[in-house]
Amino acid sequence: MLQDLQKMSKKNDNSSKVAGVIGTILVHLLLLLAIYFYGLRTVIPVEEEGLTVDYGSADTGEGLFEPAPLSEIEQDLDQQAADAVSVPDINAPSEQKVVAQEIEESLEVKQQREEARKKEQERLAEIKRQKEEEQKRKEEEARKQKELAERAQKAASTTKNAFSGAGGKGTDANAKSQGTTGGTGNQGSVTGFPGGGNSDGAGIGANYSLAGRKIVGAVPKPAYNKNETGIIVVTIEVDASGKVLSARAGATGTTIGDATLRREAELAAKKAKFNANDGSQIQTGTITYKYVLN
């Protein structure tokens, strides 16, 4: 019985020792955690902020100097801190490479911008040149249209005056009409021969213009072997004796483009004879033929 009590007492002592060790360990762990979370913190003091006040020395706020704004003071402090930093060795190979690369990139960017600026200037110059050319083209076209209109008006006026009636300025006074249609010219055969007689066919009216000169006889008439109506104006050059030196059909007022009729008109115009004058210069004039189909 005594032995049993001793064994139970010994067992209780061992259990108490184990519980004491475990309790000690737990207490130390709790202390370490408390020190870690609360005892090892670094408290950073917060600087007090304020305003710069200039009291001055009088009621009007005057003073010996004007304090700098707070922003400038902060910039000065930052600049002083930056100057206090040690300057790196500029002879280091790696840093030299970086600086060289930055310079090269800057030069390349600058060159690209310059090229882009030049291209833009060239593009604007080309647009301006095209606009100027287009304006010149329009002005030239308008001038030509105006000139053509004036020529057409002048030709119409000349033709009207030329065939308004016999005996007018430059009219062949010796020309005679033949036919039933009236007006100057001859009504003849299809071939247009002036002496073809009074029959249905074609007729030619003739008129000349040569300043100060008169036709000798009648104006020669060309062959009329085409079914064409209209006007052929022949430019002639006449010497002092009254001889026609050259004749060229197609002057202003011409409405017939047939090559055969034009050639016949030139041949007839060369046969014309004008009175002589005392001058020695070659005069230029015109002979106008009007072709009418009946």
Side-chain angles (χ1 to χ4, degrees), residues 75-123:
Q75 290 179 0
D76 292 340
L77 293 176
D78 293 339
Q79 185 63 35
Q80 291 177 5
D83 294 340
V85 179
S86 59
V87 180
D89 186 8
I90 61 174
N91 295 323
S94 61
E95 293 181 358
Q96 285 183 352
K97 183 178 180 180
V98 173
V99 172
Q101 185 177 1
E102 291 179 355
I103 294 175
E104 290 177 359
E105 290 179 354
S106 300
L107 293 175
E108 184 178 358
V109 171
K110 184 177 180 181
Q111 185 176 3
Q112 290 177 354
R113 290 179 180 175
E114 184 66 20
E115 291 178 356
R117 185 182 65 82
K118 289 181 179 179
K119 289 181 179 180
E120 182 65 16
Q121 290 180 349
E122 292 176 356
R123 186 181 69 83

Side-chain angles (χ1 to χ4, degrees), residues 226-233 249-251 253-266 289 291:
K226 297 280 187 177
N227 292 329
E228 294 279 352
T229 61
I231 297 172
I232 295 179
V233 181
T254 300
T255 61
I256 295 177
D258 185 81
T260 301
L261 291 180
R262 287 192 176 194
R263 183 169 58 254
E264 294 294 337
E266 291 174 350
Y289 295 108
Y291 298 75

Side-chain angles (χ1 to χ4, degrees), residues 170-191:
T171 301
D172 181 6
N174 298 319
K176 296 181 180 179
S177 298
Q178 185 181 54
T180 61
T181 60
T184 59
N186 297 319
Q187 178 182 352
S189 63
V190 177
T191 60

Side-chain angles (χ1 to χ4, degrees), residues 224-240:
Y224 191 6
N225 53 8
K226 297 280 187 177
N227 292 329
E228 294 279 352
T229 61
I231 297 172
I232 295 179
V233 181
V234 182
T235 302
I236 58 175
E237 291 183 346
V238 181
D239 61 9

Side-chain angles (χ1 to χ4, degrees), residues 110-275:
K110 184 177 180 181
Q111 185 176 3
Q112 290 177 354
R113 290 179 180 175
E114 184 66 20
E115 291 178 356
R117 185 182 65 82
K118 289 181 179 179
K119 289 181 179 180
E120 182 65 16
Q121 290 180 349
E122 292 176 356
R123 186 181 69 83
L124 294 176
E126 179 65 18
I127 293 175
K128 183 179 180 181
R129 184 185 65 80
Q130 291 178 357
K131 288 183 178 179
E132 291 177 351
E133 290 182 353
E134 181 66 16
Q135 183 65 24
K136 290 181 180 179
R137 186 187 65 79
K138 290 181 178 179
E139 292 177 355
E140 181 65 18
E141 185 176 354
R143 186 188 64 80
K144 289 182 179 180
Q145 292 292 339
K146 182 179 179 181
E147 184 177 351
L148 290 175
E150 291 177 352
R151 288 182 178 179
Q153 184 178 3
K154 184 178 179 181
S157 177
T158 302
T159 304
K160 182 178 179 181
N161 294 333
F163 298 100
S164 59
K169 181 179 180 181
T171 301
D172 181 6
N174 298 319
K176 296 181 180 179
S177 298
Q178 185 181 54
T180 61
T181 60
T184 59
N186 297 319
Q187 178 182 352
S189 63
V190 177
T191 60
F193 181 68
N198 186 7
S199 61
D200 293 335
I204 299 177
N207 171 268
Y208 71 91
S209 176
L210 188 64
R213 309 289 286 273
K214 293 183 179 181
I215 192 77
V216 177
V219 178
K221 305 291 180 61
Y224 191 6
N225 53 8
K226 297 280 187 177
N227 292 329
E228 294 279 352
T229 61
I231 297 172
I232 295 179
V233 181
V234 182
T235 302
I236 58 175
E237 291 183 346
V238 181
D239 61 9
S241 65
K243 180 181 179 181
V244 177
L245 300 177
S246 65
R248 182 176 181 83
T252 303
T254 300
T255 61
I256 295 177
D258 185 81
T260 301
L261 291 180
R262 287 192 176 194
R263 183 169 58 254
E264 294 294 337
E266 291 174 350
L267 293 175
K270 287 182 179 180
K271 298 177 182 178
K273 180 69 175 179
F274 294 88
N275 66 312

